[in-house]
Amino acid sequence: MGGGGQQTEPGQPGEPGEPRGPGEQRSGTAGDVYTWEEVQRHCHRNDQWLVINRKVYNTTQWARRHPGGLRVISHYAGQDATEAFTAFHPDPKFVQKFLRPLLIGELAATEPSQDRNKNAAIVQDFQALRRRLEREDLFQARPLFFWLQLGQVLLLEALSWIILWLWGTRWTLTLLCTLILSTAQAQAGWLQHDFGHLSVFKKSAWNHILHKFVLGHLKGASANWWNHRHFQHHAKPNIFSKDPDVNMLGIFVLGDKQPVEYGIKKIKHLPYHHQHQYFFLVGPPLLIPIYFHIQIIKTMISRRDWVDLAWSMSYYLRFLYFYFPFYGLFGSLALITFVRFLESHWFVWVTQMNHLPMEVDQERHQDWLSMQLQATCNIEQSAFNDWFSGHLNFQIEHHLFPTMPRHNYHLAAPLVRSLCDRHGVPYQVKTLRRGCIDVVSSLRRSGDLWLDAYLHK
């Protein structure tokens, strides 16, 4: 599967078994040993190494064939990717056959297992926690739970059509059907998220098939687009240039540092001190029906992803088949747009309350637990919150263990909180109302920081 690097010629500096000096470069062979300093130099687009369980891999050529996308693996170039690798791959032994040809050596015995600013004690305790959760079968899904979730979506879809078929299309019934379809779309969104993270079936192939069905046929989107975007968010949450969810295209400034940088540089694409107000106009209403919709179509065509395009088109054909007799072509398209408009509000508030008010910054090379907890908070548990958010009110547990079935998050949460308390890592839990308020207040705070820097620095 290629990409393991060239062989070092005999007699050249840096024969296998010897760490190199800080100024020397090499491609590496499977018997070589390396220092962290040397690994960290291979962090460029056309030169990427990473470390997994003290083994050093050259992923330069493989990155473009990585199922999770080029960028997510590139975000760990020159770094220790052990914790991310473990989090994303439910069957590490299966992945080994792809890693083996990329192996170019290992860390020198004198090198620590953790790089840069990672806390070794936290890493070890977190690994122990994961082993405990595995022993307690919290990574084992109950398929019936997810079949019921799928049944809920299909039942809502059918109910919407039956209402129109039985009682007509007057505006009150149309509005009711729009609310039902929006609920179906939101719940299908949480369900495709489960399949996308490989958290339902033991065989990855079944997860991939159901992911394409739910996201493609039931929602009209692209599974590959979602994978390549969403895994970046999980790999480096709230990190500028690595998490696409904080790439605001100059529309918003986030966190405490970016607003000041923009203000000092006199960057004013928009009046950012009013961003907490115009957020209601360009955030929740437009993300799914405009921005995501355009991005998905553009990505599928540019990447020639005809399989996902076919799945996506099947959604529109099915929708028009059922609703064209009631509303005609333009009426049906208007109905789709309005459904997405409502769903977009639901989606934005659920996803942003967990992340937007948290720390947003540049790469700090922290251990997995610290990095995820600084970028993530929970919303308190209740039957409604669990359903409304697809259990993503347990965003901390989901980010720490993305392949864990969501019906087990509440069982893992007390153990995660105990670990955080032991190491002094803040574990935040908010009410649903507080989470929504904090989204707006964080935007206002960042806007005020920008204005102060713009006027006075």
Side-chain angles (χ1 to χ4, degrees):
M1 300 297 292
Q6 300 174 354
Q7 300 293 310
T8 304
E9 296 183 7
Q12 295 296 319
E15 293 180 353
E18 293 183 15
R20 301 317 191 254
E24 299 180 53
Q25 297 284 344
R26 55 178 169 158
S27 297
T29 63
D32 280 355
V33 294
Y34 303 92
T35 64
W36 277 117
E37 183 180 1
E38 185 168 10
V39 171
Q40 289 163 7
R41 288 201 297 268
H42 297 269
C43 61
H44 307 289
R45 183 173 184 177
N46 297 317
D47 179 19
Q48 300 182 6
W49 293 8
L50 53 78
V51 175
I52 300 173
N53 292 320
R54 298 188 62 86
K55 302 292 185 182
V56 182
Y57 299 92
N58 183 343
T59 59
T60 305
Q61 302 301 322
W62 163 247
R64 293 190 177 279
R65 287 174 281 174
H66 181 235
L70 164 67
R71 292 182 178 177
V72 68
I73 197 170
S74 298
H75 291 339
Y76 277 90
Q79 301 180 30
D80 179 26
T82 303
E83 293 184 295
F85 175 82
T86 302
F88 290 137
H89 299 94
D91 187 0
K93 292 181 179 179
F94 172 77
V95 186
Q96 285 297 325
K97 70 178 184 178
F98 301 103
L99 284 176
R100 199 171 296 116
L102 313 179
L103 180 65
I104 59 173
E106 61 184 32
L107 292 175
T110 55
E111 291 292 302
S113 295
Q114 287 77 41
D115 63 333
R116 308 195 195 232
N117 301 323
K118 295 181 179 177
N119 185 313
I122 291 181
V123 171
Q124 292 171 6
D125 284 355
F126 181 71
Q127 291 173 344
L129 173 60
R130 184 181 180 90
R131 290 193 295 269
R132 176 178 176 179
L133 298 176
E134 289 173 345
R135 288 195 304 270
E136 295 180 3
D137 291 333
L138 294 191
F139 288 89
Q140 299 300 314
R142 300 197 305 268
L144 178 60
F145 173 89
F146 296 99
W147 288 123
L148 290 175
Q149 297 299 318
L150 178 59
Q152 172 193 204
V153 173
L154 298 177
L155 181 62
L156 289 170
E157 293 266 4
L159 179 61
S160 172
W161 183 85
I162 290 172
I163 289 173
L164 298 177
W165 180 60
L166 289 178
W167 294 299
T169 59
R170 57 184 182 271
W171 73 268
T172 52
L173 294 177
T174 296
L175 179 59
L176 175 61
C177 289
T178 302
L179 295 174
I180 293 173
L181 287 173
S182 299
T183 302
Q185 286 293 294
Q187 293 301 319
W190 311 142
L191 182 59
Q192 68 83 22
H193 182 263
D194 299 316
F195 293 122
H197 277 295
L198 311 179
S199 63
V200 181
F201 299 108
K202 290 183 178 180
K203 289 188 176 181
S204 295
W206 282 105
N207 287 296
H208 291 312
I209 292 172
L210 267 296
H211 190 213
K212 289 186 181 296
F213 171 76
V214 176
L215 189 54
H217 184 66
L218 296 184
K219 290 186 64 64
S222 163
N224 287 333
W225 167 84
W226 183 90
N227 283 336
H228 293 184
R229 179 186 175 91
H230 191 66
F231 288 148
Q232 291 184 73
H233 163 68
H234 271 268
K236 298 288 183 178
N238 282 17
I239 293 177
F240 290 119
S241 79
K242 293 191 174 183
D243 180 0
D245 287 2
V246 295
N247 176 20
M248 296 297 177
L249 304 176
I251 299 175
F252 301 102
V253 289
L254 305 178
D256 296 332
K257 295 182 181 179
Q258 186 193 45
V260 175
E261 292 174 358
Y262 271 46
I264 292 174
K265 295 177 181 178
K266 309 305 177 187
I267 298 175
K268 188 182 180 182
H269 300 308
L270 288 168
Y272 296 121
H273 54 300
H274 293 301
Q275 65 178 6
H276 61 290
Q277 297 168 322
Y278 65 71
F279 168 77
F280 291 93
L281 300 177
V282 302
L286 303 183
L287 182 66
I288 289 180
I290 303 297
Y291 178 68
F292 275 2
H293 184 63
I294 293 173
Q295 191 181 69
I296 288 168
I297 294 176
K298 181 180 177 181
T299 300
M300 289 190 295
I301 294 175
S302 65
R303 293 178 180 173
R304 296 180 173 83
D305 192 352
W306 309 130
V307 173
D308 274 15
L309 184 61
W311 277 108
S312 178
M313 290 300 102
S314 73
Y315 162 80
Y316 292 100
L317 292 174
R318 175 178 61 86
F319 197 94
L320 289 174
Y321 176 80
F322 283 107
Y323 290 95
F324 181 87
F326 297 118
Y327 298 106
L329 177 61
F330 293 107
S332 298
L333 295 177
L335 180 62
I336 291 177
T337 302
F338 191 40
V339 166
R340 285 189 166 152
F341 170 82
L342 295 179
E343 181 206 356
S344 187
H345 284 79
W346 191 332
F347 173 82
V348 168
W349 287 108
V350 167
T351 56
Q352 295 310 307
M353 69 176 64
N354 296 119
H355 294 293
L356 200 61
M358 305 301 290
E359 185 171 323
V360 185
D361 204 348
Q362 301 294 337
E363 175 75 88
R364 293 172 60 183
H365 303 287
Q366 295 175 296
D367 56 86
W368 186 255
L369 180 76
S370 300
M371 177 180 67
Q372 300 294 346
L373 267 292
Q374 286 187 356
T376 311
C377 68
N378 278 3
I379 302 300
E380 64 184 11
Q381 183 185 22
S382 70
F384 174 79
N385 287 353
D386 291 354
W387 173 83
F388 182 74
S389 68
H391 291 86
L392 294 181
N393 49 327
F394 290 97
Q395 192 75 202
I396 291 173
E397 287 67 36
H398 171 60
H399 263 255
L400 293 176
F401 311 107
T403 60
M404 178 181 287
R406 58 164 142 144
H407 52 66
N408 288 335
Y409 291 158
H410 73 285
L411 300 175
L415 299 176
V416 171
R417 186 161 198 165
S418 176
L419 175 61
C420 291
D421 291 342
R422 188 158 66 249
H423 289 281
V425 178
Y427 183 106
Q428 294 192 39
V429 181
K430 304 176 181 180
T431 64
L432 186 65
R433 179 175 179 272
R434 183 76 257 170
C436 293
I437 292 173
D438 284 352
V439 169
V440 180
S441 61
S442 67
L443 288 171
R444 182 170 189 167
R445 183 183 67 251
S446 296
D448 289 342
L449 288 172
W450 170 83
L451 182 62
D452 180 67
Y454 186 84
L455 295 177
H456 304 119
K457 295 183 180 180

